[in-house]
């Protein structure tokens, strides 16, 4: 496939998703949301040991760039991967950064 055959809008969307994921805390968030897990802001901030406002900031970026979705249930908003296949990107990063 030639680069001219690729859809410029889709390439731009993919690049923006990767940029949004390119932060240590956001990678950690995505790791916690693997395998179809749905977690609230409170659960995520407790798992990561960071402020709730910081967690919300990172979740907002990931959601804005199409990496995450959210669903409101009562007082809670649950976050989850928009595309389960994104777990493979995180797993690839984990394998690539392990010492050989």
């Amino acid at each position: 496939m030639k680069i001219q055959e690729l859809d410029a809008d889709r390439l731009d969307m993919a690049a923006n998703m990767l940029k949004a994921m390119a932060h240590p805390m956001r990678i950690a968030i995505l790791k916690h949301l693997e395998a179809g897990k749905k977690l609230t802001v409170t659960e995520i901030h407790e798992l990561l040991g960071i402020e709730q406002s910081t967690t919300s900031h990172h979740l907002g970026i990931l959601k804005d760039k199409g990496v995450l979705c959210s669903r409101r249930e009562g007082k809670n908003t649950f976050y989850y991967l928009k595309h389960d296949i994104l777990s493979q990107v995180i797993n690839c990063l984990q394998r690539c950064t392990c010492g050989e």
Side-chain angles (χ1 to χ4, degrees), residues 17 61-68 82-83 86:
M17 289 173 79
I61 290 169
L62 291 166
K63 186 177 175 190
D64 182 55
K65 297 302 179 185
V67 177
L68 297 181
K82 185 171 184 176
H83 307 283
L86 287 171

Side-chain angles (χ1 to χ4, degrees), residues 30-39 71 78-85 87:
L30 297 176
K31 193 74 182 147
H32 284 294
L33 294 174
E34 285 183 320
K37 288 184 189 166
K38 294 175 174 69
L39 298 172
R71 187 182 78 245
F78 288 86
Y79 289 87
Y80 56 95
L81 292 179
K82 185 171 184 176
H83 307 283
D84 288 332
I85 200 160
S87 292

Side-chain angles (χ1 to χ4, degrees), residues 2-74:
K2 295 179 183 176
I3 192 89
Q4 294 86 357
E5 296 173 3
L6 298 173
D7 182 328
D9 289 336
R10 290 184 72 179
L11 289 173
D12 191 50
M13 180 187 286
N16 285 325
M17 289 173 79
L18 289 170
K19 286 180 206 172
M21 294 166 59
H23 185 283
M25 272 303 145
R26 294 183 208 139
I27 292 170
I29 289 169
L30 297 176
K31 193 74 182 147
H32 284 294
L33 294 174
E34 285 183 320
K37 288 184 189 166
K38 294 175 174 69
L39 298 172
T40 65
V41 176
T42 302
E43 291 170 324
I44 294 168
H45 103 81
E46 288 173 355
L47 284 167
L48 297 176
I50 60 174
E51 294 293 323
Q52 191 161 342
S53 60
T54 303
T55 305
S56 294
H57 171 75
H58 288 300
L59 290 169
I61 290 169
L62 291 166
K63 186 177 175 190
D64 182 55
K65 297 302 179 185
V67 177
L68 297 181
C69 285
S70 65
R71 187 182 78 245
R72 188 151 184 86
E73 288 184 18

